[in-house]
Amino acid sequence: MPVLQANKISYHFDNGEVLFSDISCSLTQSKVGLVGRNGVGKSILASILTKALSPTQGEVTLNASVKTYTQLPSTLLGGNLSVAQYLGVDNVLHALAKIEQGKCDDQWFEIVGEQWSLKQELESLLGEMKLPRNADFLCSELSGGQLARLQLWQLFQSGAQLLVLDEPSNHLDRQGRQWLCEQMNAFSGQILLISHDRFLLREMEQIWELSTLGLTQYGGNFDDYQEQKKREVAAVERQLDSVHNEQKRLQRQAQQNREKAEQRQAKGMKARKSGSQPKILLDGMKDSATHTLSNKLKNENSRRELLSKKEHALNKRHEQLKAQKFYMGKGHASRKGQLLSIVNGVLPYGCEAPIQLQLTGGSKLWLQGGNGSGKSTLLSVLQGKHALRSGECHLNTQVYYLDQHFGLLDVCKTILETVLDMCDGILEDARTLLAGIGFRRDTVFRSVGQLSGGEKMKLSMLVVSHQQTQPLLLLDEPDNHLDLESKQLLAQTLNNYGGAFVLVSHDEDFVQDSGVSTAYQLE
């Protein structure tokens, strides 16, 4: 029996807008990846499948105990809970401490039970997860990656039969993502993974893709899914070509029928004027010809309408399947010579080793390092927000900082205002440039705060590529919340970018697709 089944579920917002409709599925594989563009409703679908949210229509049958990991900021960040308290072992550790102090009350021994080695085991476990070994350490002081590991580990130990993991690798470094893969593969229950991380999706046994057309299931892992999509795109394009050819053939046939009808009509008129044939015979021939022409027109119109509907359906499918394209333009020339020089630089936080780093025009650097190594701190130094503890930092170019939320943009401004305010000298071209990245007509008056992550990414890249000189881009995990298509589109855009950038990302596929030319490791 499947752990969950959904039968024709739909979800409508309060204003009547339909997010998705008539979705049916059953989860039978051990590891299933759920993918789809930003805003299509993946998290809402997962909430419905786990009965955390009710569908507008349809029903869900759930035959398993469920635990969920959410990508929303953890409430632990604002609390005073220790690691031991979060794991629910603080009372046992307290009892062990009392016994070590010589307290012999029965209550302490009852609390400890058989867990005499808990403290050592917990310290060892925390060390393996790259967390502070002190169980009294506050959760609010852990890094994003450390907190994610702690929460995920608790879920894997919870005994749940089904885990729903929503973007679990967003804050994990390379080691953390490898650890997560090992935990997923060792888990005895079933997993529904919502992710844009190709590294994790390659561990799946089935891929579900949610789109405006519904839910499509693909057998195999992410690479199998991509190959099937390519074949599907090719098949849809062949069908579109066939429809277009048939439409042209039908158009030619209709033209020929019209010409023949006109010729017959002219011949009949000539015969009527000459009086060579009886009028009653000519009238009968005319009625027959009119009837035949009428039937042909009906058949042509019916066939034309059928082809139009088929073309519309194929175009909708093609729109969902094909890769997005983003024309950024060549922009202005990048600054020549040395852009950045750091000599014996010691960061105020993170990496203790002196940094030696030089960048020239066009350099594309991958800044590597584990969680807490100081990658974001180094980017803050380059922005002038922090100073080096020691050493020298010389910057000879304009800097633009783009993080996963694309904070470069003012969420209160409209799309058009953003381009006009941030790009000099493109007043007349602004609407044309925005149309080129999908913002047409009145959509340019939408506020930036209403845009999806992918839309903010395209707007940000348009802005930075139309500066007087191409700036040094500081990219702090810009791919974190992007869907697969937007992530691939950003990588392609960075690959074509004529200027220099420093990229922080834990997604090696994304990094390689971005065209990095060198890497620097923070220890």
Side-chain angles (χ1 to χ4, degrees), residues 333-372:
S334 58
R335 185 186 293 271
K336 303 296 182 182
Q338 194 170 77
L339 305 182
L340 168 69
S341 174
I342 299 178
V343 180
N344 295 324
V346 178
L347 296 175
Y349 314 102
C351 175
E352 295 287 340
I355 296 172
Q356 315 290 342
L357 181 62
Q358 281 78 40
L359 290 182
T360 56
S363 295
K364 298 183 176 182
L365 175 74
W366 180 21
L367 185 59
Q368 296 177 281
N371 293 131

Side-chain angles (χ1 to χ4, degrees), residues 149-322:
R149 282 203 197 201
L150 181 64
Q151 291 176 294
L152 287 165
W153 180 84
Q154 190 190 46
L155 289 183
F156 285 116
Q157 305 304 313
S158 66
Q161 296 165 303
L162 171 64
L163 294 183
V164 177
L165 308 178
D166 193 350
E167 299 289 1
S169 64
N170 266 2
H171 299 289
L172 296 179
D173 56 21
R174 182 179 181 180
Q175 287 183 329
R177 290 160 71 226
Q178 184 61 52
W179 170 85
L180 177 55
C181 277
E182 292 168 359
Q183 294 294 316
M184 289 195 301
N185 290 330
F187 183 62
S188 60
Q190 290 174 276
I191 292 173
L192 178 61
L193 171 73
I194 305 170
S195 181
H196 306 306
D197 189 330
R198 286 169 278 186
F199 182 75
L200 299 184
L201 290 170
R202 289 191 177 102
E203 300 297 319
M204 299 296 105
E205 299 168 358
Q206 190 177 38
I207 301 293
W208 292 359
E209 182 185 53
L210 183 63
S211 72
T212 55
L213 301 180
L215 188 71
T216 307
Q217 300 180 28
Y218 297 85
N221 67 6
F222 178 76
D223 292 331
D224 298 322
Y225 153 78
Q226 280 203 311
E227 190 58 39
Q228 291 174 69
K229 288 263 288 187
K230 286 179 184 176
R231 291 199 295 268
E232 197 172 352
V233 169
V236 169
E237 288 176 347
R238 284 196 300 271
Q239 291 177 65
L240 274 170
D241 286 341
S242 177
V243 168
H244 293 153
N245 289 335
E246 180 62 15
Q247 286 173 327
K248 290 176 183 177
R249 189 198 67 77
L250 192 64
Q251 189 175 8
R252 288 195 301 270
Q253 185 65 50
Q255 180 64 27
Q256 290 172 4
N257 289 338
R258 283 193 298 271
E259 290 174 356
K260 287 180 181 179
E262 289 171 357
Q263 289 171 2
R264 284 194 297 269
Q265 185 180 22
K267 189 176 180 180
M269 291 294 291
K270 185 176 181 181
R272 190 180 294 272
K273 287 180 180 179
S274 68
S276 59
Q277 297 187 43
K279 184 179 178 184
I280 189 169
L281 177 61
L282 291 173
D283 288 343
M285 292 172 64
K286 179 181 178 182
D287 290 342
S288 177
T290 301
H291 181 70
T292 301
L293 181 60
S294 176
N295 285 337
K296 284 184 177 180
L297 286 174
K298 285 180 181 178
N299 290 336
E300 287 172 6
N301 289 335
S302 176
R303 181 63 179 156
R304 191 177 292 110
E305 185 178 346
L306 186 64
L307 287 172
S308 180
K309 288 180 179 178
K310 188 173 182 180
E311 180 188 31
H312 180 68
L314 287 170
N315 278 328
K316 284 182 68 177
R317 185 63 186 152
H318 191 247
E319 181 64 28
Q320 289 296 324
L321 290 169
K322 72 177 183 179

